[in-house]
Amino acid sequence: MISIEPVATPGAPLARRNPVAKVAAALVFSFTLLATLDPVAPAIALGVELAVLPLFGIRYRVLARRAAPLLLGAVGIVATLVLFAADHSGRVLVDAGPVLITSGVLLTALGLALRMLAVALPGVIVFATTDPTDLADALIQNAKAPARFAIGALAAFRLVPLLGQEWQMISMARRARGVDAGRNPLARMRLFVSTAFALLVGAIRRGARLAVAMDARGFDAGTPRTVARRQRFRAADGLLIAGAAALAGAALAVSIALGAFRPLIG
């Protein structure tokens, strides 16, 4: 089953920070790394993220389980670029018929894979340590987001686990009717696409009903809404954002000092 509940150890120093501060720190840290294509800055940033993980109260095994799709994506990026890149600059490392791997292609592939991990991992950490209700309250109180947007995002988070359950129900219902792909990969692909389409249609219908229900309860009105739980933005939350910006800048500075910096533009 898909789970969105926080998995951080209660009382972890950074896990207790304001949800808006954690989201802002993740965005600052991630988007700073988009300025370079070299593998040095993302590798340093990735090391920093793994080093501060205990401060968020997350075990490495839990993070590996939640970030498994990212790891598979990184492996896919490296394999695709290494095997099918048009530019083969640098020293030849492997020359086996149609497979030609050079140092330039390998560095580019590693840089993109590390950058993807370094950019996406802060988001995984934030949502693994943040309760969706606290995030919605903080968006309304601290980020001054519209209540309709914040509560709608909260409802979407709460409905995410239903996707896994509905996928299982659709699959079991089709199997009970004798609709099974067996070992045929083409039939399995067609069944996957049709199941995904049915899930998409159900999600759209549920979203439309939810929007109508929210409008009926006055979420589209201009009347200010009260909040039940206060979310305070303290000095430590500002320090978290400043620290994220400083660490990202330090990673770029090391990359520039080592001569590995490759700007995205220019």
Side-chain angles (χ1 to χ4, degrees):
M1 181 186 299
I2 302 174
S3 176
I4 58 168
E5 295 301 322
V7 295
T9 302
L14 295 185
R16 295 184 317 219
R17 299 273 58 85
N18 186 284
V20 169
K22 289 191 286 185
V23 171
L27 291 176
V28 169
F29 192 83
S30 299
F31 281 105
T32 305
L33 300 175
L34 296 178
T36 180
L37 295 174
D38 69 273
V40 175
I44 296 174
L46 197 59
V48 170
E49 293 164 5
L50 295 177
V52 301
L53 202 61
L55 298 178
F56 284 94
I58 304 178
R59 295 187 299 274
Y60 290 101
R61 183 179 300 177
V62 174
L63 179 67
R65 186 168 61 249
R66 290 210 168 193
L70 295 178
L71 297 176
L72 292 177
V75 172
I77 288 175
V78 173
T80 301
L81 289 179
V82 166
L83 295 177
F84 303 108
D87 182 19
H88 293 91
S89 59
R91 185 167 56 90
V92 176
L93 302 177
V94 177
D95 188 0
V99 179
L100 179 61
I101 302 176
T102 63
S103 59
V105 172
L106 188 59
L107 286 176
T108 301
L110 289 176
L112 290 176
L114 289 174
R115 187 170 62 154
M116 185 201 71
L117 291 174
V119 168
L121 197 57
V124 175
I125 295 173
V126 167
F127 287 103
T129 60
T130 304
D131 182 76
T133 304
D134 292 338
L135 178 59
D137 290 339
L139 286 174
I140 296 173
Q141 299 174 48
N142 306 127
K144 306 304 179 183
R148 185 180 186 185
F149 167 78
I151 303 301
L154 171 61
F157 276 117
R158 292 300 185 191
L159 291 176
V160 165
L162 293 179
L163 296 177
Q165 298 176 5
E166 288 192 357
W167 185 281
Q168 292 179 354
M169 287 190 296
I170 294 173
S171 300
M172 289 188 296
R174 290 184 171 181
R175 194 175 298 116
R177 295 197 302 267
V179 180
D180 194 2
R183 297 180 179 274
N184 189 335
L186 295 179
R188 192 183 294 267
M189 180 59 67
R190 287 197 300 267
L191 191 61
F192 174 84
V193 172
S194 61
T195 304
F197 181 75
L199 195 66
L200 176 63
V201 171
I204 292 174
R205 289 176 177 173
R206 185 180 295 110
R209 291 195 300 267
L210 179 62
V212 172
M214 290 180 64
D215 288 343
R217 286 166 174 78
F219 280 95
D220 198 24
T223 305
R225 306 182 66 87
T226 58
V227 292
R229 299 190 298 182
R230 298 295 301 174
Q231 295 290 334
R232 303 187 183 280
F233 196 94
R234 295 181 169 86
D237 300 313
L239 291 176
L240 175 62
I241 300 175
L247 289 174
L252 290 180
V254 172
S255 175
I256 295 173
L258 294 177
F261 182 73
R262 294 170 56 194
L264 181 64
I265 301 176

